[in-house]
Amino acid sequence: MADIFIGTLGGTIAMTRAAGEGGVTPKLTAADLLAAVPGLDPALSVQSESVLQVASASISLRDMGRVLDWANSAASQGARAVILTQGTDSMEETAWFLDLFWAHDCPLIVTGAMRAADGAGPDGPANLAAALRVAQAESARGRGVMVVMNEVIHSAKRLRKTDSLSTDTFSSGTTGPLGRVIEGAPVWFRPAAPRDPLPAPQSFDHDVAILSFGIGQSAALLRHALSAPEFSAVVLAGFGSGHLPADLMAHIDTSTRPVIYCSRCGDGPATRATYGYPGSEVDLQARGVWPGDWLGPLKARILIWAIEAAGLPDPRAAFEARAGV
């Protein structure tokens, strides 16, 4: 049995440009990616499979259910660790999705690249090499889903993409990363924390809307999202620490679905009790809107979707238990 299972999903790490093509597209297989890893230990037992072959912006939640099934199967076969390679565009969402449902002690590590495989100085091989180093460490067990990029180890919950092109795009914000890969081994900045994974998703038929607000925005999209039957919940990406324009508050309706407010900023929490003017967090909570706490809108959307997919009886309690630091 293989020590490590590697599943590839496509993304920039697997992209090259063919003659006549206007841009790079995903083409490389799992075997291709492994062949490019520098200094791969020939004694390491690795089983690889191309699970998907898409740009990560096109990955669906139903696709992620399939990926989760594949990773669960690898763990049930005795994998020491599971690695997934994918595009970085949606990595902060897909890693968090997997972390919410990952019920195994063996680590699941996500990695990728910002430069295509045939570009100058591709970062994919080094990132996959670092992920393999973390995967082989006994100290990685019990830490859930992690993202390894640029030899930095991030928790799936805290990870955010901060730059559209830089290889140093990922950040863990205020709380900082879990650790780094130093001289070929992981160095941890904090111990493994207790985990409480959700039951496996039972449905993929629902959707959650995100609305991001700007000055002078009309209420049209808000009214639609709060009444449309296709949305089981709505996430509001508000100004500052989660605020909305005062003239939109009359349209807030929390009677039919969860509504969650988050900060549209790149870091920091949605506050609970600092501001009390119309449209503030105090006003939103008085109208039944849930605070997203330390989750940005993308993560809050994945969390409420996952809770609903798992069919938990008290969605708000499950959300609040997972939205903090």
Side-chain angles (χ1 to χ4, degrees):
M1 182 58 58
D3 289 329
I4 296 172
F5 283 63
I6 299 177
T8 62
L9 311 184
T12 300
I13 191 171
M15 290 189 185
T16 61
R17 187 194 314 265
E21 287 185 340
V24 295
T25 57
K27 298 182 182 68
L28 301 184
T29 66
D32 294 329
L33 297 183
L34 273 173
V37 174
L40 183 64
D41 183 357
L44 184 64
S45 176
V46 177
Q47 180 172 318
S48 63
E49 181 178 342
S50 294
V51 182
L52 299 174
Q53 189 68 292
V54 296
S56 69
S58 295
I59 293 177
S60 69
L61 289 165
R62 195 174 294 274
D63 288 334
M64 289 312 300
R66 175 184 165 193
V67 172
L68 178 63
D69 288 344
W70 181 88
N72 281 332
S73 175
S76 68
Q77 293 176 60
R80 182 175 175 180
V82 180
I83 295 175
L84 294 169
T85 66
Q86 68 154 86
T88 59
D89 282 355
S90 64
M91 191 177 283
E92 61 188 287
E93 296 167 81
T94 57
W96 177 226
F97 173 99
L98 293 166
D99 191 54
L100 289 169
F101 293 110
W102 189 244
H104 306 281
D105 194 45
C106 71
L108 196 167
I109 299 163
V110 182
T111 192
M114 290 299 292
R115 295 174 180 153
D118 61 356
D123 54 325
N127 286 336
L128 182 51
L132 283 162
R133 293 291 191 179
V134 176
Q136 294 175 74
E138 184 66 23
S139 58
R141 298 184 67 82
R143 293 179 179 270
V145 178
M146 295 169 281
V147 174
V148 177
M149 295 285 291
N150 271 4
E151 298 188 328
V152 179
I153 309 167
H154 302 272
S155 73
K157 184 175 183 177
R158 296 271 66 91
L159 182 79
R160 289 188 179 181
K161 187 173 183 180
T162 64
D163 190 287
S164 62
L165 294 174
S166 171
T167 56
D168 191 26
T169 181
F170 285 111
S171 169
S172 290
T174 300
T175 59
L178 292 177
R180 289 178 57 186
V181 179
I182 305 291
E183 296 181 329
V187 175
W188 305 101
F189 301 155
R190 60 180 67 97
R195 294 177 42 73
D196 183 21
L198 295 171
Q202 303 300 308
S203 170
F204 289 84
D205 296 329
H206 58 294
D207 193 10
V208 175
I210 294 180
L211 300 182
S212 186
F213 292 89
I215 61 170
Q217 186 169 322
S218 79
L221 289 176
L222 178 62
R223 288 198 304 266
H224 173 72
L226 293 176
S227 62
E230 60 265 32
F231 297 128
S232 61
V234 177
V235 175
L236 310 175
F239 298 84
S241 56
H243 308 143
L244 265 63
D247 61 351
L248 298 188
M249 297 304 289
H251 303 280
I252 295 291
D253 178 9
T254 61
S255 63
T256 60
R257 71 207 71 197
V259 182
I260 299 159
Y261 72 90
C262 299
S263 171
R264 69 177 191 177
C265 301
D267 197 10
T271 50
R272 288 174 173 258
T274 300
Y275 296 96
Y277 54 78
S280 69
E281 67 270 26
V282 171
D283 191 11
L284 284 163
Q285 290 173 87
R287 297 171 188 267
V289 184
W290 306 356
D293 288 334
W294 281 88
L295 297 181
L298 296 178
K299 292 262 191 345
R301 174 179 178 261
I302 295 296
L303 176 55
I304 188 58
W305 184 96
I307 289 168
E308 293 175 336
L312 296 188
D314 189 345
R316 180 159 189 173
F319 185 91
E320 291 184 345
R322 293 166 175 82
V325 176

